[in-house]
Amino acid sequence: MDFKGFTQQSSPFFLKRVKYFLSRLVGTRLQKAKGIHFVNVNGHQFKRLILCDSFLATEIEQHLEEFRESGYFPPLVARYEHEIWLEYLEGLPIQSVNEDLVLKVAEFYATVYKRNPIYLKTKQSAFPERLLQDLRFLYQANILTLDSYRNLQTAVHDLTPEKVWVGYEYTDPVLKNFLLRKEDGRVCVVDVDGLAANQLLGTGVAKACVRWLGPHQSLFFSSLAHQGTPDFQEYFSFVELCFLAKWMKRAFLEHDWKVIDSTRFDRFRHPL
């Protein structure tokens, strides 16, 4: 039997990652320690993720196995120590946002949200304290003024619901992380890092609303409700504030200055 050799090429973002890595060595910038390579084996292409430790790789493996039959994520080929190998997904990049795409993404999120969610008392979770700590850091970093920080502390008290839904979440729904399958036009996800467990449901949607979903939010939530997903819409402002505070804190630590804008918090501020 004739076995052809392996060929491997680095991600097209390799130089960008090298630049980030060097910036971490000489400063305080946070950046994921992850290598991405594309491997060709006997004419078939695979994606090879090299993570910083085996714990993260094992987590990704477990999460992908949980959704193996959904068809939304690339099939897992192997996990060895701190490496993950995935089948390379073929598809079309998303060029524009329309109602058809919104409904397809809502169907994807419904599948994720309905996988063993838990409805628990908010005080039993860490989310309110994490939110307050994130806001405190934004004040310490001079992103929030003292008045804004104190005002938002009051808003947190008013927005915190009695109970929240917790479970699986896809946390990074930027359009480049989705493809449309050529054979049936179905949405699929190419960046598996964003699939996480024990998350406050709705944080991925909150990010999508900031990036591209905002004008279609009503249609999206209507579709989720029709599919019987856990209802976090009634306290979505709390979810949005949790996301925004964490997102802006991380942007500061990663030196992603374009994200930092304190006026994003204005709509959450408690009326004086």
Side-chain angles (χ1 to χ4, degrees), residues 133-182:
Q133 180 58 46
D134 287 346
L135 291 172
R136 175 177 170 81
F137 178 83
L138 294 177
Y139 162 65
Q140 292 171 326
N142 203 33
I143 295 171
L144 293 176
T145 65
L146 179 58
D147 286 344
S148 294
Y149 171 52
R150 289 175 173 171
N151 191 289
L152 286 169
Q153 284 179 303
T154 302
V156 170
H157 179 270
D158 293 343
L159 291 174
T160 301
E162 182 179 348
K163 302 183 77 174
V164 292
W165 284 101
V166 177
Y168 277 101
E169 176 67 76
Y170 187 69
T171 62
D172 197 17
V174 294
L175 291 178
K176 67 178 181 179
N177 287 341
F178 294 104
L179 289 177
L180 295 175
R181 293 184 182 274
K182 293 180 179 180

Side-chain angles (χ1 to χ4, degrees), residues 177-194:
N177 287 341
F178 294 104
L179 289 177
L180 295 175
R181 293 184 182 274
K182 293 180 179 180
E183 61 271 22
D184 57 12
R186 193 169 185 238
V187 161
C188 57
V189 174
V190 296
D191 190 341
V192 298
D193 298 36

Side-chain angles (χ1 to χ4, degrees), residues 24-89:
R24 292 173 66 201
L25 292 179
V26 299
T28 58
R29 178 177 186 163
L30 295 185
Q31 182 63 30
K32 283 185 178 180
K34 180 179 70 173
I36 302 177
H37 304 277
F38 298 101
V39 183
N40 188 289
V41 181
N42 196 34
H44 298 278
Q45 198 166 17
F46 301 90
K47 186 176 182 179
R48 179 188 179 200
L49 304 181
I50 303 176
L51 301 147
C52 60
D53 59 50
S54 59
F55 175 79
L56 293 176
T58 301
E59 267 198 332
I60 292 176
E61 176 187 32
Q62 292 172 344
H63 297 161
L64 289 176
E65 286 293 339
E66 190 72 27
F67 290 92
R68 177 169 49 87
E69 296 180 357
S70 72
Y72 281 115
F73 298 93
L76 176 69
V77 175
R79 195 277 302 174
Y80 179 73
E81 293 185 346
H82 63 299
E83 290 196 24
I84 290 281
W85 282 54
L86 306 164
E87 287 191 21
Y88 182 81
L89 290 182

